[in-house]
Amino acid sequence: KSVCYLVSALFTQICYGELMKKLSLYIFLGLICCTVGYANDIRDFQIEGISIGDSLLRYSTQEEINISENNSSIMKDKSKKERYRIIFLNTITKNEYETVQITYKINDKNYIIHSIDGSINFPNKFQECKNEMNIVVNDLKKIFIDNKLRKTNGKHTADKSGKSIHSSTYFDLSNGQVTVWCVLWSDEMNYDDGLAVTLRSKEYTNFLINENSY
């Protein structure tokens, strides 16, 4: 049977007591219904209808992807080899997030998605962002009962000036990771401060931990 929690941070759908194949992570909504202890597969979750392992071509045309790549970021490994590309996906209707960011491998003709970020801006409101993050994290704990949870706080490694700070919580699943995090960026980085929910494949998670050039 399903156990349903009335909450204010996330929305996941369920159908007649049976967990749907795809769950949706939606922040700032009202109802979570989940099978306790079930959630362990990163592919079962969605951000704006998109899951890890999907092809980006399901949501964008080749032309639209090419345009987005003109304003993309590249992730390199420690040998400076280009490994992953990060783009903002502007071709879908965003119902719950202000921006959606997609990561896939360089030269992957199928554009298999390895990371999805949904974010909402909190400009210069780091404490307010963290308050909302804690609501999301507490509700996720009810889904990820059997999964490891880690928390980190401090300087963001992407900012070489050391002025950007973050507060992050990680849920490690069997084949990926769910992260909820707040970042207050320095003026040098020129990024938007805010709250993000991130889905990552296990492969991309391992890259960030062991191979990333940061």
Side-chain angles (χ1 to χ4, degrees):
K1 292 183 178 180
S2 299
V3 178
C4 299
Y5 299 91
L6 187 64
V7 297
S8 61
L10 299 169
F11 173 79
T12 52
Q13 294 180 325
I14 200 163
C15 182
Y16 302 108
E18 185 174 341
L19 193 68
M20 295 178 68
K21 183 177 180 181
K22 298 293 184 181
L23 300 176
S24 299
L25 284 179
Y26 290 149
I27 60 180
F28 307 126
L29 290 179
L31 182 66
I32 283 186
C33 296
C34 65
T35 300
V36 175
Y38 173 90
N40 195 43
D41 190 335
I42 195 66
R43 296 168 299 182
D44 285 333
F45 292 89
Q46 298 178 334
I47 288 180
E48 299 290 11
I50 305 170
S51 297
I52 296 299
D54 288 350
S55 169
L56 183 55
L57 292 170
R58 291 180 57 184
Y59 311 99
S60 296
T61 66
Q62 184 67 63
E63 182 180 3
E64 290 167 339
I65 293 173
N66 292 342
I67 293 172
S68 296
E69 287 185 344
N70 292 330
N71 189 31
S72 63
S73 298
I74 300 297
M75 299 294 289
K76 299 179 181 180
D77 61 23
K78 292 178 181 178
S79 67
K80 304 303 180 183
K81 180 180 178 181
E82 296 183 348
R83 297 283 299 279
Y84 291 90
R85 185 184 298 275
I86 304 171
I87 67 170
F88 286 100
L89 189 59
N90 297 318
T91 56
I92 65 166
T93 301
K94 289 176 278 294
N95 297 308
E96 312 304 332
Y97 299 90
E98 294 180 20
T99 60
V100 174
Q101 187 174 278
I102 300 292
T103 303
Y104 50 89
K105 283 185 175 180
I106 298 289
N107 298 325
D108 179 6
K109 295 181 180 180
N110 294 316
Y111 299 96
I112 300 301
I113 297 170
H114 282 267
S115 181
I116 313 163
D117 296 75
S119 61
I120 293 179
N121 294 336
F122 280 85
N124 297 312
K125 297 178 181 179
F126 192 54
Q127 187 56 54
E128 183 177 340
C129 182
K130 289 198 296 181
N131 292 342
E132 294 293 341
M133 181 189 72
N134 289 335
I135 294 172
V136 176
V137 169
N138 286 335
D139 292 321
L140 282 174
K141 288 179 182 178
K142 299 169 186 176
I143 300 176
F144 301 127
I145 291 177
D146 297 329
N147 298 102
K148 297 178 181 179
L149 178 152
R150 296 180 292 112
K151 293 186 177 182
T152 61
N153 299 275
K155 297 178 180 180
H156 199 295
T157 56
D159 184 358
K160 302 306 180 183
S161 75
K163 297 177 183 179
S164 300
I165 57 175
H166 76 99
S167 180
S168 305
T169 299
Y170 307 88
F171 293 88
D172 295 317
L173 309 187
S174 61
N175 61 343
Q177 185 181 82
V178 177
T179 306
V180 187
W181 48 288
C182 286
V183 180
L184 180 63
W185 294 105
S186 67
D187 293 338
E188 286 84 349
M189 297 302 290
N190 195 31
Y191 294 154
D192 292 326
D193 306 328
L195 170 66
V197 176
T198 302
L199 310 178
R200 296 189 183 107
S201 68
K202 186 173 184 178
E203 182 178 352
Y204 186 59
T205 300
N206 289 338
F207 166 80
L208 292 176
I209 295 172
N210 301 312
E211 302 178 59
N212 187 12
S213 62
Y214 281 162

